[in-house]
Amino acid sequence: RLVLADANMLNKLSPFFAILFSVFLLGEKPTVVQIGGVLTAFLGSMFIIKPSMGGYASFPALIGALGGLGAGIAYTFVRSLGKKGENSFVIIFFFSAFSCLVCLPFMVINPAAMSLKSFVFLVCAGISACIGQFGITRAYIYAPAKEISVYDYTQVIFAAVFGYFVFGQIPDALSVLGYCLICGAGIAMFFYNKNRP
């Protein structure tokens, strides 16, 4: 329901949510610069969500932002479990099992037949997601969100390229401004954190 790059960019709010939730769940204290980065990222998300003066915002965009919120919470818990020495394979197993169980009722209520092409795409998406999940889980176990988030932004470039070539999607100017604010905040925070003792 969204331009692929918009949906992906809203999910890239997850490192900023992880910073916020790490305050409450892990007792980590953000700096003024990190707080500024979080506020800049949220401003950028408003250019993608595009709320109107009447308070209306695109429902799919709000769902995308909630996806970023959920991912930020999940990564904060992954970091907490990693600090306690939990095996990353156990984390991934329970993460995947929970996701499957939550989706199962929707698949039973509204079944749909798939073409062979759709089935192949779904299997390829599952394999790609599995590889990505292993990578991101291992990364969040070994390093705080503030150190790895910058690498996650390369996904936005891939999403924009795939969105253009596969779906013929071109993001509007406000969305591109939002991308720049969110990516800029993420990159600035990466360099800030890298130079801190």
Side-chain angles (χ1 to χ4, degrees):
R1 306 280 180 188
L2 284 176
V3 171
L4 183 61
D6 282 9
N8 195 274
M9 195 68 244
L10 289 170
N11 190 262
K12 294 304 113 202
L13 290 172
S14 61
F16 299 102
F17 283 119
I19 290 170
L20 290 177
F21 287 109
S22 68
V23 172
F24 303 108
L25 300 173
L26 303 177
E28 297 176 356
K29 303 221 184 299
T31 65
V32 172
V33 173
Q34 289 171 327
I35 292 169
V38 168
L39 293 175
T40 302
F42 284 125
L43 175 65
S45 73
M46 290 299 107
F47 285 108
I48 299 169
I49 296 171
K50 298 172 187 71
S52 68
M53 291 300 176
Y56 172 77
S58 164
F59 183 71
L62 287 176
I63 295 299
L66 285 175
L69 174 91
I73 293 170
Y75 295 147
T76 304
F77 282 120
V78 166
R79 177 77 179 139
S80 176
L81 291 168
K83 288 170 101 175
K84 294 176 182 174
E86 188 62 63
N87 186 318
S88 62
F89 293 109
V90 173
I91 296 170
I92 292 167
F93 171 77
F94 280 101
F95 183 86
S96 300
F98 179 78
S99 298
C100 289
L101 288 174
V102 168
C103 291
L104 189 61
F106 297 102
M107 293 179 355
V108 170
I109 291 170
N110 191 15
M114 286 193 292
S115 67
L116 178 61
K117 181 180 177 182
S118 294
F119 179 75
V120 169
F121 283 170
L122 185 62
V123 169
C124 290
I127 291 169
S128 299
C130 184
I131 292 168
Q133 190 62 53
F134 273 99
I136 198 73
T137 300
R138 299 291 288 188
Y140 275 102
I141 283 174
Y142 291 118
K146 63 186 181 184
E147 292 180 17
I148 49 178
S149 61
V150 72
Y151 300 105
D152 210 20
Y153 290 99
T154 58
Q155 197 179 98
V156 176
I157 297 165
F158 293 121
V161 169
F162 286 133
Y164 178 76
F165 286 109
V166 176
F167 302 114
Q169 298 173 332
I170 300 173
D172 63 23
L174 286 176
S175 289
V176 172
L177 176 60
Y179 304 164
C180 291
L181 286 170
I182 295 170
C183 289
I187 292 168
M189 285 194 353
F190 170 77
F191 284 112
Y192 168 75
N193 290 324
K194 186 177 177 184
N195 293 326
R196 287 179 67 202

